[in-house]
Amino acid sequence: ILNVEQSPQSLHVQEGDSTNFTCSFPSSNFYALHWYRWETAKSPEALFVMTLNGDEKKKGRISATLNTKEGYSYLYIKGSQPEDSATYLCAFWVNRDDKIIFGKGTRLHILP
Amino acid sequence: EAQVTQNPRYLITVTGKKLTVTCSQNMNHEYMSWYRQDPGLGLRQIYYSMNVEVTDKGDVPEGYKVSRKEKRNFPLILESPSPNQTSLYFCASSLQGPDYNEQFFGPGTRLTVL
C-alpha cells in the first residue's frame, strides 16, 4: 500500500517567523508531486507541481524542494503572515496507474 | 471564468435513495477526478478519468459509480447511499494527467446520509 506522510500534523508559528514542513513518499514509482494550499471553507489550490529530482520552485514567500531518490519534499514559508494560515497538502502521483495519493496535510496556524 | 462547478453544494438524504452529484469544467480538461474528505483521513481518490469514456477506480471506489460521456462532465453516482458515505466530496480537473498539470478543484459537496 502506497503511503504519503506529512509532518508535522499541526504547526503554530509566530507572525514574521519562517517555517518548513515535510512530505515523505515512496521513492520508487515516482512520477510527480503536487503541493496544495487549503484554506478553511474553501477548495484546495495548487502551489507547485514538481517532477524532477532536485527541483526547487518558488512563489512569493513560499518555496519547495524535491528529493525523489530519498522520497521527500520540503515546503518553506518565509516571514509567515496571517494569510498563510491554512492546511498544506502534498499529493503523490503514481505513474503506473494514474492514481493520486494525498497526504493528510500540515495544518499551519500563524499567531499574531 | 475558468472553473469547476459541483451541484448540489449541500445534500441531506436517506439511506438507499439514489443520488447524483454533478461536476462540470469549462477548461477543456482531459483528466477529472472525485475525492472524499473525512476528518483525520485526508483526501482520498474515489474515481478518475483520463478522457472521455475512460474511467478508473481510485483508492475508495466501493459504493460509487461515475461516467464520462462528455469531456466537460463527470458525475458521481451513489446508487444506494449509506451513512458511511457521509463526507465532503470534491471534484477536480487538470489539463491532462496530473504529472505536469495542477488540479483545479470544485467548491465541494457536503453530503449527509441519514
Side-chain angles (χ1 to χ4, degrees):
Chain A
I1 296 176
L2 297 173
N3 209 21
V4 176
E5 300 284 346
Q6 290 190 246
S7 62
Q9 281 188 354
S10 181
L11 190 56
H12 291 77
V13 173
Q14 205 67 42
E15 183 177 348
D17 287 352
S18 297
T19 187
N20 65 85
F21 26 93
T22 308
C23 173
S24 301
F25 53 84
S27 54
S28 57
N29 301 111
F30 176 85
Y31 212 75
L33 190 89
H34 297 201
W35 280 100
Y36 291 87
R37 170 196 160 91
W38 189 3
E39 292 181 66
T40 303
K42 294 188 177 180
S43 304
E45 290 184 349
L47 286 171
F48 305 114
V49 176
M50 309 182 79
T51 56
L52 298 175
N53 185 43
D55 245 357
E56 288 190 32
K57 298 223 170 173
K58 188 174 180 182
K59 187 181 285 190
R61 294 178 292 100
I62 304 177
S63 60
T65 61
L66 179 67
N67 184 324
T68 61
K69 295 187 189 306
E70 295 182 38
Y72 64 83
S73 175
Y74 292 136
L75 190 80
Y76 300 89
I77 301 178
K78 187 177 177 183
S80 303
Q81 298 297 309
E83 60 265 28
D84 296 329
S85 293
T87 295
Y88 292 83
L89 301 171
C90 69
F92 172 71
W93 192 47
V94 184
N95 181 38
R96 66 169 185 258
D97 53 10
D98 299 316
K99 282 184 187 177
I100 298 172
I101 301 172
F102 275 82
K104 294 178 183 178
T106 291
R107 182 77 176 95
L108 177 65
H109 306 264
I110 305 301
L111 306 171
Chain B
E1 182 190 351
Q3 59 183 345
V4 179
T5 56
Q6 291 178 231
N7 282 293
R9 296 287 313 277
Y10 302 91
L11 179 61
I12 300 174
T13 189
V14 294
T15 298
K17 186 176 181 183
K18 180 179 178 179
L19 67 93
T20 298
V21 184
T22 64
C23 173
S24 185
Q25 49 90 8
N26 62 0
M27 296 171 278
N28 202 37
H29 284 175
E30 289 187 355
Y31 186 96
M32 296 186 75
S33 184
W34 275 103
Y35 300 92
R36 60 179 289 174
Q37 162 68 29
D38 301 293
L41 293 178
L43 281 169
R44 293 182 293 165
Q45 193 173 37
I46 303 171
Y47 269 94
Y48 60 96
S49 168
M50 286 294 286
N51 213 325
V52 176
E53 302 292 1
V54 180
T55 63
D56 267 300
K57 296 177 181 178
D59 276 339
V60 288
E62 296 78 20
Y64 304 95
K65 287 172 63 175
V66 292
S67 69
R68 188 92 183 273
K69 294 177 184 172
E70 309 161 280
K71 201 171 190 178
R72 63 184 295 128
N73 296 322
F74 190 45
L76 180 70
I77 303 154
L78 285 72
E79 294 270 3
S80 184
S82 62
N84 64 13
Q85 292 178 298
T86 293
S87 189
L88 177 61
Y89 292 86
F90 286 103
C91 179
S93 72
S94 61
L95 184 61
Q96 292 177 334
D99 47 350
Y100 297 106
N101 303 285
E102 64 187 284
Q103 289 188 92
F104 293 83
F105 283 79
T109 295
R110 187 164 291 282
L111 172 66
T112 301
V113 183
L114 302 174

